[in-house]
Amino acid sequence: MKIGNNSSIDIMKQANLQKVQKAAQTALKRQEEFPGEESKRSAKRDEYIPSEKDEPIGLYNMEYNENGSPGIKFDSPESKPADKPDKTDKPADRPEEPEEPEKEKSKSEKCVCDTGKVDRELKKLREKAERLEQQLRSASGGEAEKLQKQLAAVQSELAQKDNDTYRRSHAEFS
């Protein structure tokens, strides 16, 4: 599709060319106003210089053992730097721990969870709900409405308390 002498594509190219020319002029003006600014930007660069491993300065390092599980190693300044530490060497900062008898190590502590109190409370609520249902069957009129409200309240409380979360939170541990 032609519009006069120029096509729509030619018009778009001219518009983009004008934008590029304007940006170049702006850059030239900026260089004239602030000479040397661009050279300062390009001169500031970080450079990585690899170095050999320094002597230990007392830091903790995470290392993996021969099984692949992680462990923590302390590089103390007093210890000699070595490629692989001896398994018999103990770090200078850790005193020797006295070995405990086997009986004390095998001793375990037992904890008992008792939910008897919660179970008794729930049993009483169920019995109360049954009694109210029986009374409701034989009641009439205004008394029936009163019993119906009491039964609804008891059933609501029972539904709220008869779950594992309530049992866990109100259990007794000894």
Side-chain angles (χ1 to χ4, degrees):
M1 176 188 294
K2 294 242 180 183
I3 304 173
N5 292 338
N6 296 331
S7 68
S8 60
I9 296 174
D10 291 336
I11 293 172
M12 290 175 30
K13 285 181 181 178
Q14 284 179 343
N16 285 336
L17 182 62
Q18 288 173 353
K19 288 180 185 178
V20 170
Q21 287 174 344
K22 189 173 182 179
Q25 288 173 354
T26 308
L28 285 173
K29 285 181 185 177
R30 185 170 177 89
Q31 279 183 343
E32 290 172 4
E33 290 176 12
F34 305 104
E37 182 179 312
E38 201 149 310
S39 63
K40 287 180 185 177
R41 279 193 224 153
S42 62
K44 293 180 184 178
R45 292 191 180 178
D46 289 338
E47 185 177 327
Y48 174 72
I49 302 171
S51 62
E52 292 184 24
K53 190 172 183 179
D54 295 331
E55 289 191 27
I57 57 172
L59 297 175
Y60 290 93
N61 293 321
M62 189 175 104
E63 292 183 349
Y64 293 94
N65 64 10
E66 60 272 355
N67 297 336
S69 59
I72 297 176
K73 180 186 170 218
F74 179 70
D75 289 334
S76 68
E78 295 92 30
S79 68
K80 61 182 182 223
D83 292 340
K84 290 185 178 178
D86 234 0
K87 289 183 181 177
T88 58
D89 290 344
K90 289 192 176 189
D93 62 334
R94 276 194 358 211
E96 284 191 32
E97 296 177 12
E99 292 187 24
E100 296 179 23
E102 291 295 322
K103 291 179 182 177
E104 291 181 25
K105 288 183 180 178
S106 64
K107 200 178 200 181
S108 63
E109 191 174 313
K110 292 186 180 180
C111 186
V112 178
C113 176
D114 182 25
T115 59
K117 187 175 181 181
V118 177
D119 292 335
R120 286 189 295 276
E121 181 182 359
L122 292 172
K123 185 177 179 183
K124 286 181 184 178
L125 284 172
R126 286 186 189 111
E127 289 173 356
K128 186 175 182 181
E130 285 180 25
R131 272 188 275 119
L132 287 172
E133 286 175 355
Q134 287 175 355
Q135 290 175 359
L136 185 63
R137 288 184 202 126
S138 62
S140 62
E143 188 179 331
E145 289 178 20
K146 185 179 177 184
L147 289 173
Q148 185 69 31
K149 287 181 182 179
Q150 287 180 351
L151 179 62
V154 170
Q155 287 176 340
S156 170
E157 186 179 357
L158 187 60
Q160 186 179 22
K161 292 181 178 182
D162 193 11
N163 59 46
D164 288 338
T165 306
Y166 184 82
R167 287 178 196 273
R168 286 184 197 128
S169 63
H170 291 81
E172 294 178 2
F173 295 93
S174 58

